Amino acid sequence: MVEFDVIELDSDQPFCLDKTLSCGQAPRWHQENGWWYGVVADSAFKVRQDGDKLHYDGVGSDFISRYFCLDFDLWKVYDRLKDDVYAKRAMQENYGLRILNQDAWECMVFQMTVNRIRTKSSTDRITRISSRLGKKLNIDGKEYFTFPKPADIVNAGLPALKSCNISYFADNIMIAANKVLENPLWENEVNNADYDAAVSILSGFKGIKHRVAEWILLFAFKRYEAFPVDAHIRKIFEENYLKGHYFGTDTDDKFDEAVKDAASRKFGDYRGYALEYLFNTYRSQ
DNA sequence: AACCAGGTCATGA
DNA sequence: TCATGACATGGT
């Protein structure tokens, strides 16, 4: 038996690798022989949980800790969720699910391609782009591909990008690649901006409006106050928290505001986490 | 074989 | 500013 590197998880801190990687927040993870295999930024690696131990191979412990946000105190979230009946149930069902700290560029492109189209298709798009334009990596004799950097995409050109069968998203992705190339500090700018300003920066990319901007902030910038009201969340609130609200006369925007308000009151600054838990519970029904 | 999918953008009134 | 259709593809 080969010995792999190990992280001893803090026994006070909930962490469930399976929940975290199977909830759909990040593309391109898959399970094989008890291991999760994935590519993050420039590295392919595998990881496996055995109780309080996290075995991994391919990257360093800092990388693992940062990606899975192992230092984040999840109890701050759970203390906030436990007083709400739906959120509490979602908390129990998804116990240990952590919001990842994804690579910002890949996350942005991924979220751009989620537009109204189910996540599986978006994942397939990211996979196709990677295998055509990304850099080849190897782990356990299997091939993996990085997600191409902005420069890789620009150098490959629009026809090559379009050949990945990513439909009309190709144009927006190319524009974003050029924009990021011109402003390599965009990530810092988002990180340093307050919430509304961060949303504005991201919304400045073609194909990203408020909603998608908030997804990106939640998954790649650790902004747990992000609360993107999408079709599913709208439905969850319709059927539970805002039951009886007749919103047929309201525009969607007004209803979305009502959803945001309710979420802020109930879950405070951890509403993004609440959203991920509620969504996952709803999705698995 | 139609129809739908975690949305955005460009139109038109 | 508000409602409506187009967008390109894969899965049911």
Side-chain angles (χ1 to χ4, degrees):
Chain A
M1 188 77 187
V2 185
E3 288 292 318
F4 294 100
D5 290 330
V6 178
I7 289 177
E8 294 275 351
L9 295 167
D10 183 343
S11 56
D12 291 335
Q13 275 300 318
F15 179 63
C16 177
L17 183 68
D18 288 351
K19 290 281 184 193
T20 299
L21 291 180
S22 63
C23 72
Q25 61 177 318
R28 304 207 295 143
W29 279 100
H30 73 99
Q31 241 176 335
E32 207 174 313
N33 302 325
W35 290 89
W36 282 97
Y37 288 82
V39 181
V40 176
D42 297 318
S43 308
F45 66 100
K46 61 177 179 178
V47 57
R48 172 170 67 84
Q49 181 173 17
D50 179 16
D52 283 354
K53 291 189 174 59
L54 203 56
H55 303 265
Y56 61 95
D57 188 34
V59 289
S61 65
D62 287 355
F63 191 97
I64 295 280
S65 182
R66 212 177 323 125
Y67 183 64
F68 291 104
C69 295
L70 295 180
D71 290 337
F72 176 70
D73 182 7
L74 201 49
W75 286 112
K76 285 196 261 185
V77 176
Y78 289 173
D79 284 343
R80 193 68 210 229
L81 302 194
K82 68 182 191 308
D83 298 327
D84 177 83
V85 56
Y86 304 109
K88 186 176 181 185
R89 186 180 139 215
M91 174 179 98
Q92 288 161 344
E93 285 182 6
N94 301 290
Y95 188 79
L97 187 162
R98 274 170 188 270
I99 293 181
L100 298 166
N101 183 204
Q102 297 185 41
D103 175 77
W105 165 243
E106 175 174 349
C107 181
M108 175 161 75
V109 175
F110 177 52
Q111 294 302 333
M112 282 170 80
T113 69
V114 169
N115 282 3
R116 207 187 117 257
I117 300 176
R118 95 174 36 180
T119 310
K120 171 70 168 63
S121 300
S122 307
T123 300
D124 293 345
R125 289 193 190 91
I126 296 297
T127 302
R128 285 196 296 270
I129 295 172
S130 300
S131 54
R132 275 181 173 272
L133 306 181
K135 199 172 61 186
K136 192 189 290 185
L137 301 172
N138 216 292
I139 181 168
D140 289 352
K142 288 186 286 282
E143 278 185 0
Y144 289 86
F145 294 88
T146 63
F147 186 75
K149 304 283 185 228
D152 299 329
I153 290 178
V154 170
N155 291 337
L158 193 55
L161 189 56
K162 286 196 163 164
S163 74
C164 303
N165 293 344
I166 52 176
S167 76
Y168 58 93
F169 301 111
D171 294 306
N172 290 346
I173 292 170
M174 183 57 78
I175 292 169
N178 277 299
K179 189 165 172 173
V180 166
L181 259 190
E182 283 168 21
N183 182 13
L185 295 178
W186 72 284
E187 275 189 61
N188 290 335
E189 288 175 5
V190 172
N191 266 317
N192 295 332
D194 65 32
Y195 191 77
D196 289 340
V199 169
S200 296
I201 294 173
L202 291 172
S203 303
F205 287 86
K206 193 158 182 289
I208 298 177
K209 280 201 0 183
H210 202 274
R211 196 166 323 181
V212 169
E214 293 203 77
W215 280 117
I216 299 166
L217 287 173
L218 186 58
F219 289 147
F221 289 94
K222 299 195 278 191
R223 297 292 181 100
Y224 303 135
E225 72 270 44
F227 202 84
V229 182
D230 62 30
H232 289 318
I233 289 301
R234 200 175 292 132
K235 191 140 189 256
I236 292 170
F237 273 66
E238 238 178 87
E239 292 173 356
N240 302 318
Y241 303 109
L242 300 177
K243 211 169 187 170
H245 259 237
Y246 178 66
F247 57 96
T249 55
D250 287 347
T251 64
D252 279 354
D253 282 350
K254 277 196 177 159
F255 185 69
D256 288 359
E257 283 310 310
V259 170
K260 276 175 181 291
D261 286 349
S264 298
R265 271 182 277 112
K266 284 184 178 301
F267 309 123
D269 289 343
Y270 295 115
R271 52 190 177 273
Y273 243 107
L275 178 150
E276 188 57 24
Y277 273 67
L278 288 169
F279 173 68
N280 212 38
T281 284
Y282 169 87
R283 200 179 63 139
S284 57
Q285 280 170 358

